[in-house]
Amino acid sequence: MSSSTLLRRYLMIFSCFLLLHGGGRVVAAAAGKVPAIIVFGDSSVDTGNNNFIPTIARSNFWPYGSDYADGLPTGRFSNGRLATDFISEAFGLPPSIPAYLDANCTIDQLAAGVSFASAATGLDNATAGVLSVITLAQQLAYFEEYTGRLKAARGEAAAREIVAEALYIWSIGTNDFIENYYNLPERRLQYTVGEYEAYLLGLAEAAIRRVHALGGRKMDFTGLTPMGCLPAERIGNRDDPGECNEQYNAVARTFNAKLQALVAKLNSQLPGLQLVFADTYQLLAAVVNRPADYGFENAVQGCCGTGLFEAGYFCSFSTSMLCGNANKYVFFDAIHPTEKMYKLLADTVINTTLHVFM
């Protein structure tokens, strides 16, 4: 085995160790009523699954992870941890959630938390097809496989308890609009935006029902943020370049309203379901409008490159233009928040869920 291969394997094993031990600080076992955090979604919650599939939608290279434990890139689209990592820690679980496809993490390690998410995916399979990433249907298939592995490792009763008491977090939907509907013609030819929202919500409902049928009961579905204020969408705003795309923001608000109605419907129909809606739209809108109130200096550009369009590999090409302090920025690249912003978003979800599920 070559020295480079050995080094890569060491880094992968070390990455899984850091995920579970917080960069040298051993974390206590899960306590309370939530034994695990189980995550479905896109790049907002992908902790490294795309590292292991053939896609360009990756971030397992510098400068991503520059403020993570020892500056190690993990596949998270940020300079550090994601909102779900902070949520896990708030529930007394490990401070970082491992990716399901990381073969270096055992089922015993994944039993306290796992992410099935894939950057660039959506509720719509066609969205995942744009950059050849993991569909939501495949994420659900991995979850079903995961439950089988839990049973084999922990026994039927213990596995059933983990599945039933875990907190399930859904963070998905933005890419269906900015990567698919408004970027490619196929869905716009098939659906009005309202019809497409209904189509997506039908897919979300089917996914939630599937997890419920497999034993999941405690769930958070995080709403869309003001996607028109992402730096990449500002620069692409033809009507008012450099400003938030208010059409996109309006779509996010109407989608969120319909999602809240879906949450109420499913809570009334599915036995034992505790599904909550986490509104992150208002927080990010407030931060973008008044960044100084939240300790930020820049809410218009990302930390990486020009901060206007770079994400993924384009950030790695622009490291000479990396900002000096990501904590001053709301966004790390032109699409994804910094760790500091993710912490604020996590607080919103925690405040929504902690009193319900603990």
Side-chain angles (χ1 to χ4, degrees), residues 66-329:
S66 54
D67 294 310
Y68 196 77
D70 293 337
L72 185 70
T74 62
R76 288 165 171 78
F77 278 83
S78 188
N79 59 305
R81 290 196 286 165
L82 305 181
T84 42
D85 297 318
F86 291 110
I87 293 166
S88 178
E89 187 172 33
F91 277 90
L93 296 165
S96 294
I97 296 177
Y100 183 67
L101 294 186
D102 187 346
N104 293 291
C105 295
T106 68
I107 187 59
D108 285 328
Q109 293 165 331
L110 299 176
V114 59
S115 174
F116 300 99
S118 179
T121 200
L123 292 160
D124 186 350
N125 283 351
T127 304
V130 175
L131 292 176
S132 301
V133 297
I134 304 167
T135 64
L136 181 57
Q138 183 60 56
Q139 291 183 39
L140 294 171
Y142 284 141
F143 171 64
E144 188 165 5
E145 177 183 83
Y146 167 79
T147 62
R149 292 175 63 191
L150 273 180
K151 291 174 185 176
R154 298 292 184 88
E156 183 83 29
R160 189 184 306 113
E161 182 177 0
I162 291 171
V163 169
E165 297 297 334
L167 170 59
Y168 296 82
I169 295 177
W170 307 80
S171 181
I172 192 168
T174 299
N175 293 325
D176 292 304
F177 294 102
I178 65 173
E179 182 184 320
N180 187 355
Y181 189 82
Y182 286 113
N183 191 47
L184 300 172
E186 182 179 356
R187 290 307 193 208
R188 289 201 309 278
L189 292 173
Q190 291 178 286
Y191 304 106
T192 65
V193 67
E195 290 169 344
Y196 190 57
E197 288 174 345
Y199 173 67
L200 295 178
L201 289 164
L203 297 172
E205 177 176 352
I208 292 166
R209 287 182 179 276
R210 179 62 182 149
V211 172
H212 179 270
L214 291 168
R217 293 295 182 269
K218 302 174 180 179
M219 305 186 199
D220 157 77
F221 208 116
T222 302
L224 302 186
T225 57
M227 55 191 176
C229 293
L230 302 177
E233 302 311 321
R234 285 177 180 268
I235 200 67
N237 186 356
R238 296 178 182 177
D239 295 333
D240 198 0
E243 298 300 321
C244 294
N245 187 320
E246 294 304 336
Q247 178 187 7
Y248 290 7
N249 287 348
V251 168
R253 291 192 298 271
T254 59
F255 182 85
N256 286 346
K258 294 172 183 177
L259 179 58
Q260 287 178 275
L262 175 63
V263 166
K265 168 188 164 183
L266 292 177
N267 277 327
S268 69
Q269 292 183 356
L270 297 180
L273 180 66
Q274 293 177 282
L275 175 62
V276 298
F277 168 82
D279 181 6
T280 54
Y281 184 100
Q282 299 302 328
L283 171 62
L284 188 55
V287 172
V288 166
N289 288 329
R290 302 184 308 277
D293 291 355
Y294 298 86
F296 296 103
E297 294 181 5
N298 193 321
V300 176
Q301 298 164 274
C303 170
C304 155
T306 64
L308 300 175
F309 68 90
E310 295 93 343
Y313 283 108
F314 286 105
C315 268
S316 70
F317 301 151
S318 307
T319 52
S320 61
M321 298 175 65
L322 190 69
C323 72
N325 183 357
N327 285 333
K328 296 180 180 180
Y329 285 72

Side-chain angles (χ1 to χ4, degrees), residues 33 40 44 75 91 94 108 128 166 178 204 207 250 284 288 304 336 339 344 353-354 357:
K33 297 181 180 179
F40 301 97
S44 60
F91 277 90
D108 285 328
I178 65 173
L284 188 55
V288 166
C304 155
H336 305 97
E339 179 184 68
L344 293 177
T353 60
L354 201 58
F357 302 128

